[in-house]
């Protein structure tokens, strides 16, 4: 079966799951109906150019159409969902195409020329989820972005439907095409900017279509966790490339990081060590696992790597206890992934809401939940030479256990991060990223 046929075949069950989840959430919160807004274009200050449109992820979850600002979805328990699709009359810009394809059979589709024309399709007292808009006070909404309702929908979103997983496999394949082109450009001596262009061309995205801004860093730039300042100039010496770049398919993201060394040696060994420990962590992605356990395991394994590479002088346990591993690994092991790169609900305690904060000393861990079948997470251990954090360690005494000569040798390489996207299934982890790399090598 052609892959688009596969997606079409999976989509009705996806919508049925959303209908079911939404009905339960509405009932639990005493809400009669739900209206979801896609969002609106926003304009630059004193300008008639808009920022790139980003669809409300609640809308995107239901509607696989790109770029539908000013549209609404109306969900009433027991009725077919109604897609009120905004298609303006406009000869300055290309209006969004009217919904077409087999997926539209899951909805009653109504075309409107103005967003305000959707008003007549809104049931009185419905809850609204989306960004606020002018005039909405007259639409009769019973509540706007009610937290108890959103909590239930966010909670359910962590476990993906088969359709969503199929979309994420497609996104992974596109991201891998970009990564393969990027590493070829790196090996050919390209600048960060040229590598960025090679990435975009291979995965077929515009910059605005990326799920997050590309992080493409040569040399010490790899020590800046969210480095997006791609340079046109080529560095005099080429040591390393860290590329954290994703792609999306029907709104579902992949989030992939690879680090490449320009030559064999200590940094290439560090990458190999990180790759091995990253795979060990991916193997922990199973239903029933409390995600912070994976984060703490990452600290232990990175501590061992720091010892074996001669970067620190104490034991891995001592490094974890004193916070020395956090000098080199100062971010969380990963996060929920889906419609948003950092998908919402990572700290949620239950479907009914509440917060589970990260463990003490690990404030940047974005996910504290227990994995379920279908939960998709990233696993992204890293080890960096960050001046700011190294200076703090030197000042507070942790630096006694750092081999500064080794740090000086490795600092020009910036750092290493390896990131895969993994599904927890009862049959074991499904590594979307490694599978996509393996398929593209075949
Ligand atoms: N690309 C952002 C992240 O890995 O979380
Ligand atoms: Mn990530
Ligand atoms: Mn990433």
């Amino acid at each position: 079966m052609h892959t688009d046929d596969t997606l079409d075949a999976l989509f009705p069950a996806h919508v049925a799951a959303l209908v079911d989840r939404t009905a339960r959430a509405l009932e639990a919160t005493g809400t009669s109906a739900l209206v979801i807004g896609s969002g609106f274009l926003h304009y630059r200050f004193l300008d008639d150019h808009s920022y790139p449109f980003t669809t409300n992820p609640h809308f995107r979850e239901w509607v696989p159409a790109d770029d539908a600002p000013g549209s609404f979805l109306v969900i009433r328990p027991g009725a077919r969902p109604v897609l009120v699709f905004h298609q303006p009359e406009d000869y300055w810009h290309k209006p969004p195409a009217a919904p077409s394809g087999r997926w539209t059979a899951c909805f009653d589709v109504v075309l409107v020329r103005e967003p305000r024309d959707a008003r007549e399709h809104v049931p009185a007292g419905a809850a609204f989820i989306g960004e606020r808009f002018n005039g909405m006070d007259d639409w009769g909404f019973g509540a706007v972005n009610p937290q108890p309702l959103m909590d239930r929908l966010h909670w359910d979103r962590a476990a993906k439907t088969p359709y969503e997983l199929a979309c994420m496999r497609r996104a992974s394949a596109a991201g891998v095409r970009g990564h393969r082109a990027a590493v070829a450009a790196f090996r050919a001596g390209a600048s960060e900017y040229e590598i960025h262009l090679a990435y975009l061309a291979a995965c077929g995205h515009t910059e605005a279509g990326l799920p997050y801004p590309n992080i493409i860093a040569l040399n010490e730039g790899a020590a800046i966790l969210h480095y997006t300042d791609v340079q046109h100039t080529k560095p005099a010496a080429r040591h390393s490339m860290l590329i954290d770049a994703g792609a999306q398919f029907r709104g579902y993201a992949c989030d992939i990081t690879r680090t490449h060394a320009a030559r064999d040696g200590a940094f290439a060994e560090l990458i190999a060590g990180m790759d091995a420990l990253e795979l060990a962590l991916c193997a922990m992605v199973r239903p029933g696992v409390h995600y912070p356990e994976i984060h703490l395991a990452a600290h232990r394994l990175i501590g061992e790597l720091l010892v074996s590479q001669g970067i620190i002088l104490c034991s891995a346990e001592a490094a974890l206890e004193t916070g020395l591993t956090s000098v080199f690994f100062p971010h969380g092991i990963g996060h929920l992934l889906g419609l948003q790169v950092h998908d919402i609900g990572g700290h949620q305690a239950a479907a009914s809401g509440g917060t589970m904060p990260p463990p003490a000393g690990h404030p940047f861990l974005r996910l504290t939940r227990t994995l379920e079948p279908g939960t998709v997470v990233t696993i992204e251990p890293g080890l960096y030479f960050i001046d700011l954090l190294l200076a703090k360690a030197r000042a507070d005494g942790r630096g006694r256990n750092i081999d500064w000569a080794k740090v000086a040798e490795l600092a020009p390489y910036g750092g290493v991060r390896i990131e895969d996207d993994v599904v927890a299934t009862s049959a074991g982890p499904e590594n979307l990223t490694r599978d996509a790399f393996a398929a593209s090598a075949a």
Side-chain angles (χ1 to χ4, degrees):
M1 208 191 269
H2 186 271
T3 40
D4 282 332
D5 291 343
T6 308
L7 288 163
D8 279 344
L10 293 171
F11 189 71
H14 170 68
V15 172
L18 297 182
V19 165
D20 185 50
R21 286 178 195 176
T22 306
R24 280 186 281 111
L26 291 174
E27 187 176 356
T29 57
T31 313
S32 58
L34 173 62
V35 175
I36 301 175
S38 65
F40 292 89
L41 290 171
H42 294 283
Y43 289 82
R44 300 178 192 178
F45 184 53
L46 301 180
D47 199 341
D48 59 0
H49 288 96
S50 65
Y51 296 106
F53 177 66
T54 303
T55 309
N56 172 4
H58 281 271
F59 186 91
R60 201 72 169 96
E61 191 176 21
W62 291 79
V63 180
D66 285 321
D67 292 338
S71 294
F72 296 86
L73 189 65
V74 180
I75 304 143
R76 260 179 300 220
R80 270 159 66 81
V82 180
L83 172 58
V84 186
F85 192 87
H86 174 218
Q87 191 187 48
E89 288 181 315
D90 184 351
Y91 59 86
W92 292 96
H93 309 98
K94 185 167 176 252
S100 65
R102 278 174 53 194
W103 68 265
T104 57
C106 296
F107 302 92
D108 286 341
V109 180
V110 180
L111 283 187
V112 291
R113 296 299 184 206
E114 298 285 346
R116 65 172 172 268
D117 297 339
R119 165 76 186 85
E120 66 185 90
H121 300 280
V122 170
F128 175 75
I129 293 181
E131 61 177 277
R132 291 180 165 275
F133 56 95
N134 287 339
M136 70 181 295
D137 291 346
D138 301 332
W139 285 42
F141 293 121
V144 177
N145 296 324
Q147 199 62 46
L149 177 61
M150 292 207 298
D151 281 342
R152 286 176 189 277
L153 298 175
H154 292 163
W155 180 263
D156 286 345
R157 206 161 99 190
K160 274 37 183 192
T161 64
Y163 165 79
E164 290 176 302
L165 292 175
C167 289
M168 294 181 83
R169 289 185 198 105
R170 292 280 290 264
S172 301
V176 161
R177 285 198 299 277
H179 274 262
R180 289 207 182 281
V183 72
F186 167 65
R187 300 275 179 226
S191 68
E192 292 169 346
Y193 177 73
E194 289 165 340
I195 297 167
H196 172 65
L197 294 185
Y199 182 92
L200 290 175
C203 72
H205 280 313
T206 62
E207 279 198 358
L210 293 170
Y212 57 91
N214 278 352
I215 296 166
I216 297 175
L218 298 178
N219 301 347
E220 63 278 356
I224 298 170
L225 298 182
H226 286 172
Y227 175 97
T228 52
D229 185 23
V230 287
Q231 299 293 303
H232 290 253
T233 50
K234 298 175 185 178
R238 181 169 297 254
H239 303 302
S240 61
M241 174 176 74
L242 186 153
I243 170 165
D244 181 345
Q248 55 102 0
F249 182 81
R250 293 192 178 186
Y252 289 88
C254 71
D255 179 7
I256 302 174
T257 309
R258 290 293 183 265
T259 309
H260 304 273
R263 66 191 74 85
D264 291 342
F267 188 71
E269 281 176 33
L270 199 59
I271 295 175
M274 185 61 73
D275 195 58
L277 79 81
E278 194 261 2
L279 284 172
L281 296 169
C282 289
M284 294 178 70
V285 176
R286 290 170 187 275
V289 171
H290 189 223
Y291 190 76
E293 277 175 37
I294 304 180
H295 178 78
L296 295 176
H299 272 271
R300 282 192 291 277
L301 292 172
I302 288 169
E304 286 168 17
L305 184 61
L306 288 163
V307 172
S308 69
Q309 296 299 309
I311 298 167
I312 62 171
L313 307 168
C314 60
S315 69
E317 300 84 65
L320 180 53
E321 272 164 33
T322 58
L324 185 54
T325 51
S326 297
V327 172
F328 296 95
F329 173 43
H331 58 77
I333 189 58
H335 47 86
L336 293 171
L337 179 71
L339 291 158
Q340 294 167 285
V341 172
H342 299 153
D343 220 7
I344 200 151
H347 289 164
Q348 211 171 310
S352 55
T355 302
M356 270 185 305
H362 299 272
F364 300 117
L365 181 60
R366 296 177 194 270
L367 176 56
T368 52
R369 290 169 57 172
T370 296
L371 306 181
E372 298 167 51
T375 308
V376 183
V377 297
T378 68
I379 295 292
E380 48 182 304
L383 193 168
Y384 315 86
F385 303 97
I386 302 172
D387 287 342
L388 178 76
L389 300 183
L390 290 165
K392 283 193 176 160
R394 204 192 270 275
D396 67 22
R398 285 175 298 170
R400 275 196 304 277
N401 286 317
I402 293 175
D403 183 329
W404 291 100
K406 191 75 182 172
V407 167
E409 176 194 339
L410 289 167
Y413 296 83
V416 49
R417 175 164 71 254
I418 296 177
E419 176 176 28
D420 288 347
D421 306 336
V422 188
V423 193
T425 84
S426 48
E430 178 187 348
N431 190 319
L432 300 172
T433 312
R434 301 271 171 167
D435 288 354
F437 271 111
S440 83

